[in-house]
Amino acid sequence: MTVLHWIWSGIGTDEVPPRVVYYTLRVLMFILSFVLEDWALHELVQSPRHRRVAVTLVSSSYVTWTYQTHTFSNSVETLVVLWTLVMIQRILDNKVGSLDFEQRDSLLSSAILGLLLTFGVFNRISFPVYVLLPSLSLVPHFIRKPFSLLTVTATTLLVTLFAIAVDTEHYQPTKPLLTTLFNNPVCTPLNSLLYNSQSSNLALHGLHPHYQHLIANLPQLLGPALVLIFVRPERLTSLPLLSALSGILFLSIIPHQEARFLLPAVPLILCSLHLPASRTLTRYWLTAWIIFNAIFGVLMGTYHQGGVVPVQAWLGEQPNLSNAVSEVLWWRTYSPPIWLLDHNPSRTTDLMGTPFSLLQHRVDLALAEEQGSNKSVGLVAPWSSLEFADDSWKERGMVLEEMWRWDKHLNLDDLDIGEEGVWGTLRRVVGRRGLVVWRVSRGREESRGRGIVGGIGR
């Protein structure tokens, strides 16, 4: 963002267009994944023949070219997990080395390992579960060479103190840094752990059965590749497979289970698979693999929550948005990328999966806070939410005016096959696809569809 601001200020514009920011970060994540992920796989997979298969499977997976090219914290976590395993592998490979350069390489790998461990924890609190079991393989090495353990510990502590200082300065910029570090430091992993340890907080995001990852999320991410786990499987003690099993088992304990939580496990499992020995079976499997990734690539890469970025980019491009609404509420979507708004003064509030009654109460509060004659707030929600078709809004004296819509949006997190049945769910989620920007006001009978830019865009 700083570099983009510097470039745009050089051409006489203070505000960077949201779409420029978005596509710049997408290209950056693509390059990082293309370089760092493939590089890590080349180090973790020893056999050249198996390495070619592993790189091909990972590169052809829709997870790599959809999720992994986004700026998700899960995508960053995937890269950090892979390189943490690389450092562990390098340390283990030098465990018998006695030459000076081999010892220096082992200490350097230990220092980098400490840095990656800290960065991984501060990036996502789920990171430790992926490296817990693989890290146990270092215990004999640390017993033999305690200086390596000292190096990992010292580096971890130093980088942790630096990260806490950066977070404290970021979240409490008006207070003296040194005083705040001693009296009220900000440790984001601890705050995240405390938040996620409360079931009431997890309920806002959705609660799932403990087998959700195993019977739903893994098949969704791997498809036909799951079959190969039972075909000449890699030994369980291999670092990639051990890391994947560690992450899946520990994350299955947590009641909130989204498929993206298993992103680091995808390349770890794929690089541990072997193709069938029979050429005929291999041909059939490759056909199924191509069809699976083509379908899910379009579904998850274009339609699932596909309106979040376009809507946020559209909001950021509206110069008069703050005059029309002072706050934009998001409901039943992924967290909106606030950085796409750049200098736009409108507030953004993520209501996540808040119950409908609480949503209306929150809209009431937002309208009550508005000053002046033009009292209205923005509301972004999927069109598949049938609550927008009932009369409860009129009963509260509120009028909804559609400002803009993005049609290529499916809310697959809102499937309710148990209540609606398969056909009813598809008719609602697919038939009423789209993400809508509403303007909510009190007691204004204006024609629906007349927005701040004079109409509805798609």
Side-chain angles (χ1 to χ4, degrees), residues 66-277:
T66 54
Y67 290 107
Q68 203 58 38
T69 57
H70 277 280
T71 53
F72 293 144
S73 59
N74 310 89
S75 304
V76 177
E77 181 185 31
T78 301
L79 299 178
V80 181
V81 168
L82 284 171
W83 276 94
T84 299
L85 298 181
V86 169
M87 291 303 118
I88 293 176
Q89 186 65 56
R90 288 184 179 181
I91 294 173
L92 293 176
D93 289 342
N94 292 328
K95 62 185 178 181
V96 296
S98 58
L99 299 178
D100 289 341
F101 75 89
E102 291 177 325
Q103 293 179 356
R104 286 196 300 269
D105 186 56
S106 178
L107 293 179
L108 177 61
S109 298
S110 299
I112 297 176
L113 176 61
L115 188 151
L116 290 173
L117 290 175
T118 306
F119 180 78
V121 171
F122 273 79
N123 175 64
R124 280 194 65 82
I125 194 62
S126 59
F127 168 80
V129 302
Y130 281 102
V131 298
L132 179 61
L133 293 183
S135 298
L136 296 179
S137 61
L138 290 174
V139 172
H141 175 80
F142 287 151
I143 293 176
R144 245 185 346 265
K145 297 184 177 181
F147 198 67
S148 293
L149 176 61
L150 181 62
T151 303
V152 173
T153 305
T155 305
T156 302
L157 290 176
L158 288 175
V159 179
T160 299
L161 291 175
F162 176 76
I164 292 176
V166 171
D167 283 346
T168 303
E169 175 65 21
H170 176 76
Y171 290 105
Q172 304 183 60
T174 60
K175 300 179 181 179
L177 178 59
L178 291 179
T179 304
T180 309
L181 278 176
F182 283 101
N183 298 329
N184 188 26
V186 176
C187 183
T188 50
L190 178 60
N191 294 338
S192 177
L193 180 62
L194 293 175
Y195 177 86
N196 287 284
S197 62
Q198 300 294 324
S199 58
S200 58
N201 293 331
L202 295 179
L204 296 175
H205 304 268
L207 299 179
H208 308 94
H210 292 295
Y211 51 79
Q212 177 80 13
H213 280 322
L214 292 176
I215 70 169
N217 294 338
L218 269 181
Q220 174 187 322
L221 295 172
L222 295 174
L226 279 178
V227 179
L228 296 185
I229 294 179
F230 306 99
V231 180
R232 298 161 57 198
E234 192 79 5
R235 66 185 189 281
L236 292 180
T237 55
S238 68
L239 287 181
L241 199 53
L242 193 63
S243 176
L245 292 175
S246 175
I248 295 170
L249 291 177
F250 282 106
L251 289 177
S252 295
I253 301 175
I254 303 173
H256 176 60
Q257 301 184 13
E258 296 182 33
R260 62 187 178 92
F261 296 167
L262 299 184
L263 290 192
V266 173
L268 297 174
I269 293 176
L270 291 179
C271 75
S272 304
L273 301 179
H274 296 271
L275 295 179

Side-chain angles (χ1 to χ4, degrees), residues 1 32-33 36 64 279 281 306 323 396 417 426 440-441:
M1 288 294 292
L32 286 176
S33 297
L36 295 181
T64 301
R279 289 189 176 183
L281 290 178
N323 296 329
R396 287 177 172 262
I417 297 177
L426 291 177
V440 187
S441 56

Side-chain angles (χ1 to χ4, degrees), residues 244-399:
L245 292 175
S246 175
I248 295 170
L249 291 177
F250 282 106
L251 289 177
S252 295
I253 301 175
I254 303 173
H256 176 60
Q257 301 184 13
E258 296 182 33
R260 62 187 178 92
F261 296 167
L262 299 184
L263 290 192
V266 173
L268 297 174
I269 293 176
L270 291 179
C271 75
S272 304
L273 301 179
H274 296 271
L275 295 179
S278 169
R279 289 189 176 183
T280 302
L281 290 178
T282 298
R283 191 179 301 112
Y284 285 134
W285 183 87
L286 287 176
T287 302
W289 177 248
I290 293 172
I291 295 174
F292 167 78
N293 285 287
I295 294 174
F296 273 82
V298 174
L299 183 63
M300 306 304 293
T302 302
Y303 283 95
H304 177 55
Q305 298 287 349
V308 174
V309 170
V311 166
Q312 188 76 315
W314 179 84
L315 291 172
E317 292 170 351
Q318 306 309 308
N320 300 320
L321 179 64
S322 59
N323 296 329
V325 294
S326 63
E327 183 177 13
V328 179
L329 307 175
W330 289 69
W331 186 54
R332 288 183 177 175
T333 67
Y334 279 170
S335 296
I338 300 176
W339 45 268
L340 279 176
L341 295 177
D342 202 30
H343 295 302
N344 197 305
S346 298
R347 288 180 298 165
T348 299
T349 303
D350 182 14
L351 298 180
M352 298 175 287
T354 301
F356 180 63
S357 58
L358 295 181
L359 164 68
Q360 289 188 318
H361 178 67
R362 180 63 179 83
V363 174
D364 267 331
L365 294 178
L367 289 173
E369 294 174 357
E370 290 285 344
Q371 301 295 326
S373 58
N374 185 21
K375 292 186 176 182
S376 60
V377 296
L379 175 59
V380 180
W383 179 238
S384 59
S385 298
L386 296 178
E387 292 86 348
F388 290 99
D390 63 22
D391 296 328
S392 59
W393 296 96
K394 293 181 180 179
E395 293 172 359
R396 287 177 172 262
M398 289 184 285
V399 176

Side-chain angles (χ1 to χ4, degrees), residues 24-41:
T24 299
L25 292 177
R26 287 293 301 271
V27 171
L28 178 62
M29 282 302 301
F30 169 76
I31 295 174
L32 286 176
S33 297
F34 182 76
V35 175
L36 295 181
E37 191 171 20
D38 284 11
W39 186 359
L41 293 176

